[in-house]
């Protein structure tokens, strides 16, 4: 996606309105931006026609969290309330998924701010019947400053850090895009200088400026710009921004984010992902985005403040699950690994080895994580994943023998039962019943079912076994 696509011209969308017959009428194609509209009485969704630049939609964003719905990866729908308690249903279909992601994130963030500021009075003048949104803006009711009008950042040096922090921390919604662009100009030159200053201040143990840099780092993330977020998640900036956040003055003591990741995080592949395009990168970036979000969460900082990070993780989860089975046999080959016994650990402390992660043990952990992700994605992605798992892999033929295998470890059998329980719950066990009919009998119960002998938690294991039976 070119930077200009979502820049001052906005993202390309089609606007639809639900008619009295329950059909969606095409109201036109245009570009969308979220900005302050005086006539609408606040921050609004603003769509202008692409052929003549006239207003197609000006819809003030509601503080009702349930008003807006995300359909798939490129459609946003909502009910537009109008004067006299009338309402119309509207939908925006985005040409680019990234545009949908960015606008959805902005809506969530604005709603969080509206709830924090309290309810607002309804605005009159939302147009006559048959019109969508308020009357067009007049010449003197221009939107708030655009990204290009943001005050330039000062020269990046230690003596200016306080000013940099003040500008970024106090940036209004319509200025954030401009500051994000400034930070990334000339191949991220300003960002690089900031983090070079951080390295120098850390070497000098300059506590005062390290605190300022921590606040700057947080303000940069809170600009909530998707392109900037992706830049921060990649090398070399991710470790540097985590380093800045270690000196957050809201912490009781200095954090150790970098040391924690170095000691406790390791990317392991059950099966090689080298031929899976950008799947590996998406998984790594999603882990980093989740860690960054969790590292930044404070008592005074809620989810709406980190809307772009949250939406980034949400959309990436769907893409990751889709890539496992669309135009790829990766998931099918992974299921077959359930038939490959796990080798004994060669580690002196009994820790899992690379060989264990590349066999049944690793496949089980992967499938368990996959089922967990599937609970929190769009229903289309979840349905597509489970339908492939049940129809195009030998899932039941691979998982049921494992549960009855006395050579399998208690933890493997427990994880296997959790996975089976998730899959069976997806379609109310109909696929499992069909498998039983084909197999001419119920699979044998695990040797530990109903027993209190499982070191991994006999009661929970027995309960799960009863569920899938």
């Amino acid at each position: 996606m070119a930077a200009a696509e979502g820049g001052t011209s906005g993202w390309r969308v089609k606007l639809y309105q639900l008619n009295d017959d329950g059909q969606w009428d095409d109201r036109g194609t245009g570009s969308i931006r979220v900005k302050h509209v005086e006539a609408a009485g606040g921050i609004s969704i603003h769509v202008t026609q692409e052929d003549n630049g006239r207003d197609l939609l000006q819809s003030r964003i509601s503080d009702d969290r349930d008003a807006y719905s995300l359909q798939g990866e490129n459609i946003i729908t909502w009910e537009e309330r109008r004067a006299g308690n009338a309402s119309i249903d509207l939908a925006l279909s985005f040409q680019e998924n990234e545009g949908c992601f960015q606008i959805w994130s902005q809506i969530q963030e604005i709603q969080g701010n509206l709830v924090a500021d309290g309810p607002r009075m309804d605005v009159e003048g939302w147009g006559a019947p048959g019109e969508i949104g308020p009357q067009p803006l007049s010449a003197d009711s221009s939107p708030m400053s655009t990204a290009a009008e943001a005050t330039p950042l000062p020269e990046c040096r230690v003596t200016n850090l306080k000013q940099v922090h003040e500008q970024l921390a106090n940036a209004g919604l319509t200025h954030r895009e401009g500051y994000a662009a400034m930070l990334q100009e000339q191949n991220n030159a300003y960002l690089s200088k900031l983090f070079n200053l951080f390295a120098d201040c850390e070497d000098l143990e300059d506590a005062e400026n390290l605190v300022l840099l921590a606040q700057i780092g947080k303000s940069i993330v809170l600009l909530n710009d998707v392109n900037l977020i992706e830049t921060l998640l990649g090398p070399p900036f991710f470790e540097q921004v985590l380093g800045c956040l270690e000196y957050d003055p809201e912490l009781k003591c200095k954090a150790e984010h970098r040391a924690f990741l170095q000691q406790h995080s390791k990317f392991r592949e059950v099966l090689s992902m080298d031929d899976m395009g950008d799947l590996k990168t998406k998984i790594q970036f999603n882990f980093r985005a989740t860690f960054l979000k969790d590292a930044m969460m404070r008592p005074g900082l809620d989810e709406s403040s980190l809307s772009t990070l949250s939406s980034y993780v949400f959309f990436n989860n769907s893409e990751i699950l889709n890539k496992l089975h669309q135009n790829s046999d990766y998931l099918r080959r992974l299921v077959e690994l359930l038939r490959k016994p796990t080798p004994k650990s060669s580690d002196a402390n009994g820790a899992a080895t690379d060989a264990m992660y590349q066999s049944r043990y690793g496949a089980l952990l992967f499938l368990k994580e996959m089922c967990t992700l599937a609970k929190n994605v769009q229903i289309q992605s979840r349905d597509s994943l489970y339908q492939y798992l049940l129809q195009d892999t030998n899932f039941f033929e691979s998982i049921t023998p494992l549960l009855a295998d006395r050579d399998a470890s208690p933890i493997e059998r427990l994880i296997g039962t959790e996975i089976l329980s998730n899959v069976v719950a997806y379609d109310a066990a109909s696929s499992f019943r069909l498998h039983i009919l084909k197999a001419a009998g119920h699979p044998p119960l695990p040797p530990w079912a109903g027993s209190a002998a499982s070191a991994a938690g006999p009661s929970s294991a027995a309960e799960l076994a009863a569920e899938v039976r």
Side-chain angles (χ1 to χ4, degrees):
M1 171 61 61
E5 182 77 26
T8 56
S9 61
W11 299 95
R12 193 167 187 263
V13 296
K14 267 188 175 293
L15 175 66
Y16 295 90
Q17 179 180 346
L18 192 67
N19 62 29
D20 294 337
D21 297 326
Q23 302 296 319
W24 289 101
D25 293 334
D26 185 350
R27 299 302 301 265
T29 302
S31 59
I32 182 174
R33 292 182 64 81
V34 173
K35 65 181 185 181
H36 183 88
V37 177
E38 189 68 28
I43 303 296
S44 305
I45 298 172
H46 185 211
V47 181
T48 56
Q49 290 182 329
E50 64 179 0
D51 53 353
N52 56 25
R54 296 180 60 186
D55 292 322
L56 191 61
L57 172 70
Q58 295 175 7
S59 172
R60 188 185 63 181
I61 293 176
S62 166
D63 56 8
D64 182 1
R65 291 280 190 174
D66 297 325
Y68 300 87
S69 176
L70 184 65
Q71 307 291 332
E73 298 181 357
N74 64 342
I75 296 175
I76 297 174
T77 62
W78 74 98
E79 183 182 48
E80 180 78 20
R81 300 234 175 240
R82 304 174 67 189
N85 293 323
S87 65
I88 53 176
D89 291 306
L90 300 176
L92 291 167
S93 178
F94 289 76
Q95 181 177 0
E96 300 290 342
N97 292 351
E98 185 180 354
C100 183
F101 158 63
Q102 187 175 73
I103 297 299
W104 179 255
S105 298
Q106 291 176 349
I107 291 172
Q108 287 186 308
E109 179 186 6
I110 292 163
Q111 286 184 312
N113 293 334
L114 294 178
V115 171
D117 294 340
R120 302 164 302 169
M121 299 297 292
D122 290 337
V123 177
E124 301 294 336
W126 279 79
E131 296 177 350
I132 298 179
Q135 299 295 334
L137 289 174
S138 61
D140 58 351
S141 61
S142 59
M144 289 163 50
S145 302
T146 62
E149 295 170 343
T151 304
L153 291 169
E155 183 181 352
C156 188
R157 56 186 183 185
V158 172
T159 54
N160 291 334
L161 288 179
K162 185 175 182 180
Q163 183 181 347
V164 173
H165 168 238
E166 289 175 352
Q167 284 186 230
L168 294 178
N170 298 318
L173 180 65
T174 52
H175 286 153
R176 294 178 184 178
E177 187 178 320
Y179 283 124
M182 292 179 202
L183 292 168
Q184 297 176 89
E185 285 176 351
Q186 299 179 359
N187 197 24
N188 306 308
Y190 203 96
L191 270 182
S192 299
K193 291 176 182 178
L194 272 175
F195 290 122
N196 287 338
L197 287 181
F198 166 73
D200 293 339
C201 290
E202 193 169 42
D203 289 341
L204 296 171
E205 299 182 356
D206 185 346
E208 181 180 354
N209 284 314
L210 285 171
V211 168
L212 276 174
L213 284 161
Q215 294 170 327
I216 290 171
K218 180 183 291 188
S219 297
I220 288 174
V221 177
L222 293 177
L223 290 175
N224 275 322
D225 182 89
V226 61
N227 292 322
L228 180 58
I229 291 293
E230 285 208 316
T231 297
L232 295 176
L233 295 177
F237 298 117
F238 179 65
E239 186 174 341
Q240 294 170 326
V241 72
L242 283 185
C244 285
L245 294 176
E246 291 180 357
Y247 296 91
D248 188 342
E250 294 185 25
L251 295 174
K252 293 181 179 179
C253 57
K254 179 181 175 296
E256 297 293 342
H257 302 316
R258 291 168 292 179
F260 176 84
L261 288 182
Q262 290 171 359
Q263 296 171 12
H264 301 287
S265 69
K266 180 178 181 181
F267 184 81
R268 296 181 184 272
E269 296 178 79
V270 182
L271 294 173
S272 174
M273 296 180 178
D274 291 343
D275 60 345
M276 296 289 290
D278 62 348
L279 176 61
K280 186 188 299 187
T281 300
K282 283 191 176 294
I283 293 174
Q284 291 174 326
F285 273 40
N286 237 30
F287 171 80
R288 293 172 182 174
T290 302
F291 188 91
L292 181 58
K293 181 167 68 75
D294 293 343
M296 289 189 63
M297 289 303 293
R298 301 285 176 267
L301 198 63
D302 59 21
E303 284 284 347
S304 64
S305 301
L306 297 167
S307 58
T308 297
L309 274 175
S310 299
S311 297
Y312 181 88
V313 171
F314 177 79
F315 277 90
N316 256 10
N317 281 341
S318 292
E319 289 194 42
I320 289 168
L321 293 181
N322 290 339
K323 286 178 178 292
L324 293 179
H325 63 88
Q326 292 179 354
N327 303 316
S328 171
D329 65 347
Y330 189 91
L331 185 54
R332 182 183 59 78
R333 290 186 288 118
L334 190 89
V335 168
E336 292 300 321
L337 269 186
L338 296 176
R339 304 173 186 264
K340 181 180 179 180
T342 303
K344 299 296 182 182
S345 174
S346 59
D347 185 85
N349 298 319
T353 61
D354 287 341
M356 293 175 65
Y357 281 110
Q358 294 168 2
S359 62
R360 180 168 64 192
Y361 177 72
L364 285 168
L365 291 177
F366 189 102
L367 290 171
K368 179 183 177 182
E369 181 69 14
M370 183 189 77
C371 290
T372 300
L373 290 183
K375 294 177 181 179
N376 300 297
V377 298
Q378 296 103 321
I379 190 170
Q380 295 92 333
S381 296
R382 181 166 62 250
D383 287 348
S384 177
L385 174 72
Y386 278 120
Q387 286 171 11
Y388 180 89
L389 185 67
L390 295 172
Q391 297 173 12
D392 295 284
T393 76
N394 296 317
F395 174 73
F396 289 124
E397 292 82 357
S398 300
I399 196 78
T400 51
L402 160 68
L403 302 180
D405 185 357
R406 293 185 178 275
D407 292 330
S409 67
I411 190 65
E412 286 182 326
R413 294 197 294 261
L414 181 58
I415 295 174
T417 308
E418 291 178 4
I419 295 168
L420 182 58
S421 179
N422 276 298
V423 175
V424 167
Y426 162 70
D427 65 352
S430 61
S431 57
F432 193 42
R433 293 190 188 98
L434 182 61
H435 167 72
I436 291 173
L437 289 174
K438 288 182 178 179
H442 195 288
L445 284 177
W448 39 266
S451 166
S454 173
S459 59
S460 60
E463 289 168 4
L464 283 170
E467 283 182 19
V468 299
R469 192 178 185 188

